[in-house]
Amino acid sequence: MKELRVALFTGNYNHIRDGVSLTLNRLVSYLESNNIPVLVIAPSNKEPAIDHCGDLIVTPSIPMLVPGRKEYRIATHFPRWAKKKVEEFNPTLIHIATPDGLGVGALKWARRKKLPRVTSYHTHFLSYTDYYPAHLNPVKKPFKNLMKWFYRQFEHTYVPSQSMIEELHNEGIPGTMKIWARGIDLDRFNPSKRDMEWRRGVGFKDDEIVVSFVSRLVWEKELRTYIDSVNEIQKKYPKVRALVVGNGPAQEEAEQLLPNAHFTGFAKGEDLARAYASGDVFMFPSHTETFGNVTLEAMASGLPCVVADAIGSKSLVNHGVNGYLAKKESVEDFTRQLEKIVSDPEKRIEMGKTSREMAMGYQWESINAGLVENYREVLENWNQE
């Protein structure tokens, strides 16, 4: 059997704490714990948000030139000195996670070296043009053409959900696609973390119904749909309260639009787990997710969920079973679906229990073990170009 040695190229590994970086750090940790050599090549910054796993080669990058996204970096290229370090590592499999300058450079390099290549799809880039039309519409068509060229170059494309596979096929994106789902830490995200003293301390009464939103606070997460839906349902159910967990450029305006909400700011670890479990309903209208990590965390915490009927989220929420799907960007429909849970305490409890049971099927150990099996399949079947 050929030795598996993985070179992982990504546009985000440690400089931003988000679903992509956390997923890839978990993967590297899993590989190392199973004695599989791995080297990460990615951009970074002076004050990384994550104490990353594994060995990292930091490559050149520039700030993302989109409003509210300047803390994100765009890797510009795969420089000669970095190529030399990767060659010294002697990888037998190349995993490229982002179609940026670094990713394209790594792809061309791997082709010249006749190395087997796989990729993974983490961010639904094409959907962001609706939120930043002035900046992204001019490049949407050439970027889509780039994606069509890029994804056909790999033996496997790893995608978080079946709905995302279907969306990519509808967009004309080629490739042999396999599901690499996301996992959950079931001990950390747990209904037992519910803390009534904490609820009272932030101003919620015991009989109030707390509707939670957990995300980076940017408008493309459909924060406005959440705000308007909560404001609408409070007209009929004044005991509904809003809990917003996260920070970001939209926070100041969101606080003005939801003056009676509690905003925690950025939270992680046990603080985040407590915030999830101390809510009553989770609402997440975003329709740009490839999977929906926050929805899975809410499910593991025992909450019924109201989410957009869109890629990612609809792979997790079974309509009428552990929550409801609502028409994307429709305040009217989100309010209607939310009312079904707010108005029925027994349903709220039962759906929350079901959410927890469903989340137990998403465990990182088995999910990453499946990915390594796919790695080995590519490695064993590789015929040099």
Side-chain angles (χ1 to χ4, degrees), residues 1-5 35 37 90-93 376 379-380:
M1 181 181 292
K2 299 176 185 176
E3 182 186 12
L4 178 59
R5 299 177 62 85
N35 299 313
N90 192 27
T92 58
L93 184 83
R376 294 194 186 281
L379 190 59
E380 292 304 312

Side-chain angles (χ1 to χ4, degrees), residues 265-331:
F266 175 74
K268 64 178 181 178
E270 290 301 312
D271 290 338
L272 178 60
R274 179 179 60 188
Y276 270 117
S278 299
D280 298 300
V281 186
F282 180 70
M283 182 175 166
F284 194 55
S286 173
H287 54 84
T288 61
E289 311 304 304
T290 59
F291 181 75
N293 294 313
V294 292
T295 301
L296 183 57
E297 289 167 353
M299 289 167 56
S301 302
L303 300 188
C305 302
V306 179
V307 300
D309 186 4
I311 53 172
S313 294
K314 68 180 181 182
S315 297
L316 293 168
V317 175
N318 190 340
H319 188 73
V321 177
N322 70 314
Y324 293 101
L325 303 174
K327 182 179 179 181
K328 64 183 183 180
E329 300 185 28
S330 172
V331 172

Side-chain angles (χ1 to χ4, degrees), residues 209-211 233 237 240 280-283 303-307 317 320-325 334-352 355:
I209 303 165
V210 176
V211 179
I233 204 166
Y237 298 91
V240 169
D280 298 300
V281 186
F282 180 70
M283 182 175 166
L303 300 188
C305 302
V306 179
V307 300
V317 175
V321 177
N322 70 314
Y324 293 101
L325 303 174
F334 268 97
T335 304
R336 182 185 305 115
Q337 305 304 333
L338 184 58
E339 183 176 5
K340 294 177 182 178
I341 299 176
V342 167
S343 64
D344 191 335
E346 291 184 3
K347 178 179 288 185
R348 194 160 63 242
I349 293 170
E350 188 61 33
M351 283 187 163
S355 276

Side-chain angles (χ1 to χ4, degrees), residues 176-315:
T176 300
M177 298 188 185
K178 293 179 175 287
I179 293 178
W180 175 29
R182 301 294 178 260
I184 188 70
D185 184 339
L186 292 166
D187 292 327
R188 168 162 289 174
F189 297 101
N190 194 300
S192 66
K193 303 295 176 70
R194 187 175 179 85
D195 187 337
M196 295 305 293
E197 287 299 322
W198 180 82
R199 277 176 56 117
R200 295 175 192 127
V202 299
F204 298 138
K205 297 178 180 177
D206 289 4
D207 64 345
E208 289 181 325
I209 303 165
V210 176
V211 179
S212 305
F213 178 94
V214 181
S215 176
R216 177 164 165 73
L217 301 187
V218 289
W219 296 114
E220 61 264 30
K221 297 296 183 181
E222 283 299 315
L223 177 58
R224 187 60 185 254
T225 299
Y226 167 81
I227 291 170
D228 291 348
S229 299
V230 170
N231 281 333
E232 188 64 28
I233 204 166
Q234 284 176 332
K235 296 175 183 177
K236 186 174 181 180
Y237 298 91
K239 289 186 180 295
V240 169
R241 297 289 303 279
L243 172 63
V244 180
V245 181
N247 61 3
Q251 181 169 344
E252 184 176 350
E253 186 176 352
E255 289 177 345
Q256 294 172 358
L257 295 169
L258 271 179
N260 295 320
H262 176 66
F263 286 77
T264 68
F266 175 74
K268 64 178 181 178
E270 290 301 312
D271 290 338
L272 178 60
R274 179 179 60 188
Y276 270 117
S278 299
D280 298 300
V281 186
F282 180 70
M283 182 175 166
F284 194 55
S286 173
H287 54 84
T288 61
E289 311 304 304
T290 59
F291 181 75
N293 294 313
V294 292
T295 301
L296 183 57
E297 289 167 353
M299 289 167 56
S301 302
L303 300 188
C305 302
V306 179
V307 300
D309 186 4
I311 53 172
S313 294
K314 68 180 181 182
S315 297

